Amino acid sequence: MKPDDKRLSARYAGYASPRGHGTGRGCRVRPAEAAGPLPTALVIHENRGLNPHIEDVARRLALENYIAFAPDALFPLGGYPGDEDRARAGFARLDPAKTRQDPLAAADMLRGVDGGNGRMGAVGFCWGGAMTSFLATRPPDLRAAAPFYGPAPAAEDVPKIEAGLLAVLAENDERVNARPGYEQALKQAGVRYALYPPPGTEHGFHNDTMPRCDADAAKEAWRRTLALFERTLRRA
């Protein structure tokens, strides 16, 4: 999808993050023309910052009639550097505690965005999957969370999850899939959840810029994500 798609309105926007790095920045995308208020969605990147692939994911959501916002965790270091290796290295220079607060601040900003209907979801990948799970334990009005191959939240935080949850897992991803007791904790807490581990997939299979991409699994995972958002963010 082209960045200048005329069906969309996209711009970079800043937001205040007083408990994080002070100020955050991300890419906000919405339909160029919308009839009535729209649901909102955070799109949280891998450990590469706000690269062109994640901006494209935000555009995909906007084409489905969402207001999407993709924050850049690397903004305190000047933003995505245009190089994947340099981006990954940048994460080691970030303050982890502040970096966890910046997506919360982005959610606060998105909650009051013009044209929103007050219903918010989040989708994230790898590092962003972990952040999506973390967000699901924090904002009380996050209605949907779709973490893709991200580590589970702390066990003591699982009962705080009120959002509908779709956990997308790669089959061959031993480190992330080692989550003893997580599904049982979800059941005990009464969380509405579904797991989707498509067979034969590797960590990062949704990223269509990477060799490990599995197009069929990515398409199905995205279909399920949109279905979760549809039933939780548009319906009463």
Side-chain angles (χ1 to χ4, degrees):
M1 185 187 314
K2 294 182 178 180
D4 59 352
D5 193 312
K6 299 303 181 184
R7 296 171 293 176
L8 303 174
S9 173
R11 70 180 185 91
Y12 294 104
Y15 61 93
S17 183
R19 295 185 178 181
H21 286 96
T23 303
R25 185 175 184 259
C27 179
R28 189 169 69 201
V29 194
R30 65 173 75 210
E33 297 182 9
L38 298 179
T40 58
L42 282 172
V43 182
I44 308 178
H45 55 66
E46 301 160 315
N47 62 343
R48 294 168 173 82
L50 182 56
N51 61 14
H53 166 65
I54 293 298
E55 292 191 3
D56 187 68
V57 174
R59 290 192 292 271
R60 295 177 206 176
L61 271 173
L63 281 180
E64 299 289 341
N65 285 314
Y66 292 89
I67 300 172
F69 185 73
D72 187 355
L74 293 177
F75 178 70
L77 304 179
Y80 172 66
D83 176 273
E84 301 288 282
D85 290 335
R86 288 172 57 204
R88 283 193 296 269
F91 270 79
R93 298 165 52 199
L94 293 171
D95 181 323
K98 290 182 178 181
T99 302
R100 284 166 67 90
Q101 291 299 317
D102 289 339
L104 287 171
D108 287 340
M109 179 278 294
L110 193 57
R111 186 176 296 114
V113 71
D114 290 343
N117 72 354
R119 298 175 181 175
M120 187 190 328
V123 58
F125 307 89
C126 184
W127 180 85
M131 287 297 101
T132 297
S133 293
F134 169 67
L135 284 170
T137 69
R138 292 302 187 272
D141 54 355
L142 190 70
R143 294 195 175 205
F148 279 56
Y149 29 82
E156 62 269 21
D157 288 339
V158 170
K160 301 174 185 176
I161 299 174
E162 298 181 8
L165 180 70
L166 170 66
V168 178
L169 304 171
E171 183 181 53
N172 303 316
D173 197 359
E174 183 176 348
R175 179 184 64 84
V176 170
N177 293 348
R179 42 175 71 189
Y182 180 47
E183 188 170 6
Q184 184 60 33
L186 291 171
K187 291 178 179 178
Q188 290 179 346
V191 177
R192 298 160 294 149
Y193 78 95
L195 302 179
Y196 178 53
T201 50
E202 305 285 341
H203 186 94
F205 73 84
H206 187 266
N207 187 334
D208 57 12
T209 70
M210 303 291 287
R212 67 185 67 173
C213 176
D214 185 315
D216 290 338
K219 182 178 180 180
E220 177 60 18
W222 190 245
R223 185 195 68 80
R224 295 184 185 212
T225 299
L226 292 179
L228 170 67
F229 282 13
E230 179 71 23
R231 66 177 178 264
T232 56
L233 305 183
R234 294 196 200 276
R235 302 175 188 174

